[in-house]
Amino acid sequence: NSPAPLPERAIYGFALFLGSWFGFILYLIWAFIPETWLFSLGLTYWPQKYWAVALPVYLLVAVGLGYILLFGINMMSTAPLNSTHTITDNYAKKQQQKKFQEEAIPALRDIPISEVNRMFFLPE
Amino acid sequence: MAEERRFRGACGAPIALRRRQHSASCRELAVRGPRLQLRSLSAATSAVWLAAYGLFALSENSMVLSAAIFITLIGLIIYLHFVKIDQESLLVIGSLGIQVTSSYASGKESTTFIEMGQVKDVVINEAIHMQKVIYYLCILLQDPEDPQGVSEVVPLFQSTKPRLDCLIEVYKSCQEILEQRTTASQSS
């Protein structure tokens, strides 16, 4: 699973490169060349040229709205001030207490908020 | 005995904390926010009336002006009665419980009482609120099944939003009362 260059990856990359250039040239042909010329060549089954302008506009408006949408989704998923998620969560509730050993670093655990408050705000 | 100290709220508004000790196990802490300012009231009223006058000049309909006066009056009454909180107070009675009172500008008071058996602790918690991280005082309610767990969080002082220095004072006062119940249960 390393990101090193491999022959298969080089082939995929080149195929994608050619494919995207082909798609771009096709889009330009569809958007700019008049319909009558394309009909005279026998290519009649194209989508309406309206979409050659509409789709990029749709994409850009979607990108702009995506900023606002992401901001809104973030605000919606923030826990409200009265939820217990601001204090604890499933992992902290199920944690096991390791035995205290002399001369050893204490095991990592989630300290309850009452204890943290006493340490910070009640200096003895 | 009562003492009053000035602090600042989360948005920078000046607030005042008043502490009263009624007895050894009963304390009242009241946080008073700023009163409704005349300048903000006149600014809002002039803005609404100028907008209504602009609409009247465009539409030549005099109902717009009377509607604006109505909206201003009704809006002011609704604001004073439902939105503007003048004082939030906390009454901690050691053996009985905690009472939270909000007094509105129109004189309305809404109270909540939490009995001491349900109270696990009163702590200062920090959380994200509207693109800011704020400290707020909250009551942790005990979970009946799990003695270590918290069933509910009741945030206090939601509209005056005192800053950390004021919260530490309130926290210390509350903890002095709450410690008495653990010493009382250990001795009895």
Side-chain angles (χ1 to χ4, degrees):
Chain A
N1 282 349
S2 72
L6 295 172
E8 295 91 17
R9 288 177 181 168
I11 297 173
Y12 298 154
F14 190 60
L16 274 175
F17 172 73
L18 286 181
S20 55
W21 262 112
F22 175 68
F24 184 53
I25 302 291
L26 193 64
Y27 170 75
L28 289 179
I29 290 174
W30 167 47
F32 283 109
I33 297 188
E35 283 208 328
T36 46
W37 295 17
L38 292 171
F39 286 172
S40 68
L41 282 173
L43 308 161
T44 52
Y45 199 61
W46 296 94
Q48 273 186 339
K49 279 188 190 287
Y50 161 81
W51 292 108
V53 180
L55 281 178
V57 173
Y58 269 122
L59 258 173
L60 290 175
V61 171
V63 167
L65 284 181
Y67 277 108
I68 303 174
L69 196 70
L70 190 65
F71 191 67
I73 289 180
N74 271 336
M75 281 181 76
M76 274 173 55
S77 16
T78 309
L81 291 187
N82 65 347
S83 92
T84 50
H85 291 289
T86 51
I87 293 184
T88 182
D89 65 355
N90 276 338
Y91 297 103
K93 282 184 197 152
K94 294 199 186 116
Q95 63 183 348
Q96 282 125 6
Q97 307 271 29
K98 289 221 171 91
K99 266 213 165 55
F100 176 68
Q101 291 169 338
E102 291 287 336
E103 303 281 335
I105 301 176
L108 200 62
R109 72 179 177 105
D110 196 33
I111 305 177
I113 186 171
S114 310
E115 222 173 293
V116 175
N117 266 22
R118 269 194 285 274
M119 198 172 65
F120 275 148
F121 304 126
L122 291 180
E124 304 295 335
Chain B
M1 58 163 200
E3 34 176 278
E4 183 158 322
R5 284 185 57 181
R6 302 203 178 281
F7 291 99
R8 290 217 164 257
C11 305
I15 61 174
L17 169 71
R18 198 183 59 186
R19 262 198 297 224
R20 291 183 63 180
Q21 174 129 350
H22 295 286
S23 83
S25 63
C26 176
R27 262 189 214 167
E28 183 177 2
L29 301 132
V31 175
R32 221 182 43 216
R35 296 266 180 285
L36 181 64
Q37 307 277 12
L38 182 61
R39 54 169 184 244
S40 51
L41 177 63
S42 22
T45 310
S46 331
V48 172
W49 286 0
L50 278 175
Y53 188 71
L55 273 177
F56 168 69
L58 281 174
S59 67
E60 304 291 328
N61 184 5
S62 64
M63 279 301 292
V64 178
L65 297 175
S66 5
I69 296 177
F70 227 43
I71 287 174
T72 317
L73 281 174
I74 304 274
L76 182 64
I77 293 177
I78 290 179
Y79 178 70
L80 291 179
H81 195 66
F82 292 110
V83 175
K84 179 95 186 67
I85 291 183
D86 266 347
Q87 168 171 296
E88 291 168 306
S89 77
L90 195 66
L91 178 66
V92 186
I93 307 176
S95 49
L96 200 59
I98 301 181
Q99 175 168 291
V100 184
T101 315
S102 306
S103 331
Y104 290 82
S106 65
K108 172 173 103 162
E109 286 194 2
S110 84
T111 55
T112 320
F113 181 74
I114 304 168
E115 56 166 340
M116 214 31 126
Q118 286 182 340
V119 169
K120 184 164 184 283
D121 203 359
V122 173
V123 298
I124 298 179
N125 192 14
E126 36 182 341
I128 301 176
H129 175 75
M130 303 287 277
Q131 291 83 44
K132 272 202 291 203
V133 176
I134 58 165
Y135 289 99
Y136 64 104
L137 197 72
C138 57
I139 305 178
L140 303 178
L141 297 187
Q142 190 104 359
D143 195 2
E145 293 108 42
D146 175 19
Q148 301 294 325
V150 173
S151 76
E152 214 180 299
V153 172
V154 178
L156 305 172
F157 303 125
Q158 286 292 87
S159 74
T160 44
K161 287 204 181 64
R163 286 192 179 156
L164 190 61
D165 42 7
C166 179
L167 288 179
I168 292 180
E169 299 291 330
V170 180
Y171 174 74
K172 283 182 185 163
S173 296
C174 290
Q175 284 297 321
E176 279 167 23
I177 310 258
L178 289 177
E179 271 162 7
Q180 293 171 5
R181 61 174 180 162
T182 51
T183 51
S185 66
Q186 274 168 8
S187 62
S188 68

